[in-house]
Amino acid sequence: AQCAGSDAQKIICDVENPSYKNLSLFSLLGGSPVPGGTWSDDNKLRGLDPVTGVLDAQLITSGGVYHYTYTTPDTAGCLNNKAVVTLTIGAYAGVGSQATVCSESGSFNLFNAFDGTVMGPHSNGRWTNSSGQYVPSSLDIGKIDQKMTLQFTYTVPPVLECSATAKSVNVLVTILRKPQTGKVTNLTLCGTAGLADY
């Protein structure tokens, strides 16, 4: 009678695991769901294939609770043709790295200081500097006239089902002074001196 199966829940606290790029929502349903239905993303996010029900959970940009509905065609004897999968995704702050940039570029996006070989961080976090002050993700570096290395911390809010504390990661940004041509000045040489002396 429950053609769509029964509702299901899953908590994902390690969404950075590569296996969650291809998560079968159909396999999570309880009961005996019949194939051939369609999936809908109740939160209208990215990553869901509505035909296969395969979800790329790593495309979801913040931790939280999300719902996906499976609907089968109306069939005689089918009392319930809808079932909902509830996913709870834990907070993920990314993997910090070190970046080097020249002040000549004028600005630097701090998100470019993450390790690009793994899943990027959730986007609902906030940046702070080494003094604990909030800073924008776009760093103004155009006026920096000496080499320096700065540390920033990115923090995403907690998802209680996975952790009661916020997740944080540090990144280092080394800023190099842009090349300076210097100022041209005239030089007067005395004719009695040999050129080799200069």
Side-chain angles (χ1 to χ4, degrees), residues 133-188:
Q133 300 171 317
Y134 290 111
V135 295
S137 59
S138 181
L139 187 65
D140 183 7
I141 61 174
K143 296 181 179 180
I144 294 179
D145 59 0
Q146 59 183 338
K147 178 183 177 180
M148 62 178 62
T149 297
L150 304 174
Q151 177 176 296
F152 298 91
T153 301
Y154 184 65
T155 304
V156 291
V159 175
L160 296 181
E161 289 83 353
C162 291
S163 174
T165 58
K167 299 283 188 178
S168 296
V169 66
N170 295 327
V171 301
L172 293 175
V173 179
T174 298
I175 303 168
L176 304 178
R177 174 189 175 189
K178 66 181 179 181
Q180 302 289 331
T181 58
K183 295 182 179 180
V184 176
T185 58
N186 294 327
L187 176 65
T188 301

Side-chain angles (χ1 to χ4, degrees), residues 88-105:
T88 301
I89 297 179
Y92 176 67
V95 178
S97 185
Q98 182 170 356
T100 301
V101 61
C102 178
S103 64
E104 189 173 21
S105 61

Side-chain angles (χ1 to χ4, degrees), residues 58-125:
Q58 294 188 355
L59 292 180
I60 296 174
T61 59
S62 63
V65 180
Y66 305 98
H67 303 91
Y68 301 87
T69 299
Y70 180 62
T71 304
T72 59
D74 292 328
T75 306
C78 183
L79 301 180
N80 185 3
N81 71 330
K82 288 188 178 182
V84 177
V85 173
T86 300
L87 292 183
T88 301
I89 297 179
Y92 176 67
V95 178
S97 185
Q98 182 170 356
T100 301
V101 61
C102 178
S103 64
E104 189 173 21
S105 61
S107 64
F108 178 74
N109 190 326
L110 291 174
F111 284 102
N112 290 331
F114 283 99
D115 185 344
T117 64
V118 296
M119 174 183 168
H122 284 158
S123 62
N124 62 327

Side-chain angles (χ1 to χ4, degrees), residues 28-53:
L28 300 179
L29 292 171
S32 302
V34 296
T38 58
W39 287 90
S40 60
D41 181 349
D42 300 349
N43 301 100
K44 296 180 173 55
L45 302 173
R46 298 182 300 164
L48 175 68
D49 186 322
V51 177
T52 65

